[in-house]
Amino acid sequence: MTESQASNFTPRVFSGAQPSGNMHLGNYLGAFRNWVKLQDQFDECLYCVVDMHAITVWQNPSDLRDQIREAAAAYIASGVNPEKSILFNQSQVSGHAELAWVFNCVARLGWLNRMTQFKDKAGKNREKATTGLYVYPNLMAADILLYKGTHVPVGEDQKQHLELTRDIASSFNENYEAEVFPLTEPLIQAEGARIMSLRDGTKKMSKSDPSDLSRINLTDDVDAISKKVRKAKTDADAIPSEVDGLEGRPEAKNLLGIYAALSDKSLADVCQQFGGQGFGDFKKDFADLATSHLAPITTEMARLMENPDHVDDVLRKGAERARAIAEPVMNEVKDVIGFLR
Ligand code: AMP
Ligand code: TRP
């Protein structure tokens, strides 16, 4: 975004995660932790539980309800303050679906065909994928632009979707000769942007990995975390004292990278600290660090999950505040397009 474009829009942070269960350490280090930091840097932050994105693949209705609450609880337990930030649930603000339809009529098949996440998620059985999964990035653009979001913190994996969001915004602005939408800036952190599976250092830590040993869930207790760290895949070599020595050792690099992110150190410092040691001792330190960092989050999440009415109330209030920002934007869009209202 050029400076002049940026200055026309109120700085506003938007981000979201899908309530598809198993919130994990990758979500925390790649997303929630940064959301919390941004609350102090920006006046307006919106953090959304994107349930409409979740149903692009099948979700059992009663599980979905719990997962939405669990996602909201994970945001709050990680430090998102629902008094300051707007914490809400996507399907409770109808503007997301309305604007997504408009963007279905802006984005081109050619653009969507390039989206690597669709290819990964649809797999070989593309004929069976829902059309929602295909236009998922248009809904994501609508999430952000419904609030004229200027800054979006995400993990590395969402970069391509944010480029599409910018293409949609500039195409809309150009087609209608109106400067309605900002060109959103991605905010991607260096440490923690891509946390890998504990079982396979070449695969992303993910909610949908069938092996629970592959990830540390935000609901795992001390015993579960210790066991997963003990079983985490490593290699037979010692820890190198320089980052270069991690070349071609994805599992080693991942564990040291997670340690760096959790302790707010650089990867180089962590290599220096543990260089020459085997992974046995390191894993003990690692488990202690992960446990002490995550225990307060786990405890607070459990407390919130025992009080679903409170969580529902937070989400309802958040949706009300979100609607107040979204409504004038949607009206502006309708006027520009030529819809009556
Ligand atoms: P998802 O779990 O795909 O809904 O993602 C929610 C947020 O967490 C997004 O900002 C992702 O980029 C981030 N995220 C998910 N998995 C990881 C991971 N393994 N490493 C870092 N960030 C992640
Ligand atoms: N697609 C994102 C993910 O899977 C979730 C998401 C939906 C999102 N809408 C968003 C993230 C808007 C940032 C901004 O991680």
Side-chain angles (χ1 to χ4, degrees):
M1 186 167 7
T2 65
E3 299 230 338
S4 66
Q5 272 174 312
S7 61
N8 289 339
F9 295 95
T10 311
R12 197 173 275 148
V13 172
F14 185 99
S15 199
Q18 295 188 54
S20 21
N22 298 329
M23 288 293 173
H24 54 75
L25 187 63
N27 295 129
Y28 174 69
L29 291 175
F32 309 153
R33 194 169 70 154
N34 305 325
W35 299 2
V36 172
K37 288 183 190 152
L38 291 167
Q39 291 181 126
D40 299 325
Q41 294 163 27
F42 287 81
D43 287 338
E44 289 184 57
C45 299
L46 293 106
Y47 297 125
C48 184
V49 179
V50 291
D51 52 352
M52 289 160 64
H53 277 99
I55 63 160
T56 54
V57 296
W58 171 251
Q59 302 292 332
N60 174 291
S62 78
D63 290 347
L64 182 61
R65 268 185 283 274
D66 287 341
Q67 286 162 198
I68 293 169
R69 294 180 182 121
E70 190 187 302
Y75 297 6
I76 299 170
S78 299
V80 170
N81 174 357
E83 300 293 323
K84 186 168 193 292
S85 298
I86 301 181
L87 197 172
F88 73 108
N89 183 12
Q90 186 182 31
S91 63
Q92 291 185 25
V93 181
S94 58
H96 291 259
E98 280 185 82
L99 190 58
W101 178 258
V102 173
F103 290 168
N104 286 344
C105 304
V106 174
R108 307 288 145 165
L109 289 178
W111 303 357
L112 291 176
N113 285 340
R114 283 195 286 276
M115 296 294 117
T116 56
Q117 186 174 295
F118 174 76
K119 291 181 197 161
D120 292 345
K121 285 200 179 175
K124 289 198 191 85
N125 216 345
R126 203 176 282 196
E127 295 287 312
K128 289 259 166 65
T130 66
T131 48
L133 190 65
Y134 187 67
V135 292
Y136 175 117
N138 295 345
L139 177 60
M140 179 161 164
D143 295 340
I144 299 163
L145 297 175
L146 183 60
Y147 307 95
K148 304 196 181 202
T150 56
H151 296 82
V152 175
V154 278
E156 214 28 70
D157 58 334
Q158 295 301 313
K159 223 169 136 179
Q160 196 185 32
H161 289 160
L162 289 182
E163 277 156 20
L164 185 89
T165 301
R166 291 165 68 99
D167 288 343
I168 288 175
S170 60
S171 190
F172 183 98
N173 289 349
E174 218 170 279
N175 292 347
Y176 292 104
E177 295 177 359
E179 211 196 336
V180 178
F181 296 119
L183 299 187
T184 306
E185 295 285 348
L187 298 174
I188 298 175
Q189 300 268 318
E191 312 289 349
R194 203 166 156 77
I195 303 296
M196 311 308 281
S197 156
L198 299 182
R199 305 296 299 166
D200 177 352
T202 61
K203 265 174 43 190
K204 211 179 70 154
M205 184 178 286
S206 145
K207 289 165 182 164
S208 53
D209 194 313
S211 166
D212 198 53
L213 287 174
S214 69
R215 65 183 159 260
I216 295 177
N217 297 311
L218 295 183
T219 48
D220 283 345
D221 60 17
V222 175
D223 290 344
I225 294 176
S226 305
K227 178 175 151 200
K228 287 176 182 181
V229 173
R230 248 190 345 265
K231 297 208 163 198
K233 190 172 166 201
T234 49
D235 53 40
D237 293 343
I239 295 173
S241 48
E242 297 199 5
V243 175
D244 287 353
L246 291 169
E247 198 67 39
R249 301 173 64 187
E251 285 82 15
K253 187 171 181 199
N254 186 39
L255 285 189
L256 291 162
I258 295 175
Y259 191 97
L262 280 173
S263 57
D264 259 328
K265 289 183 180 156
S266 69
L267 188 55
D269 284 347
V270 176
C271 285
Q272 189 109 62
Q273 184 182 345
F274 292 98
Q277 288 188 23
F279 277 97
D281 288 339
F282 170 75
K283 278 185 169 182
K284 288 191 192 100
D285 278 352
F286 184 106
D288 287 346
L289 177 68
T291 315
S292 66
H293 208 96
L294 295 179
I297 298 176
T298 315
T299 310
E300 175 65 359
M301 259 182 89
R303 192 187 68 81
L304 289 161
M305 289 305 286
E306 274 166 27
N307 202 346
D309 289 346
H310 169 69
V311 175
D312 291 3
D313 204 44
V314 167
L315 289 174
R316 255 192 307 272
K317 288 196 179 114
E320 225 169 276
R321 289 166 68 199
R323 264 183 241 118
I325 303 176
E327 209 176 84
V329 177
M330 207 54 227
N331 284 339
E332 186 186 352
V333 168
K334 286 178 181 170
D335 291 345
V336 163
I337 290 181
F339 287 169
L340 300 178
R341 62 182 179 95

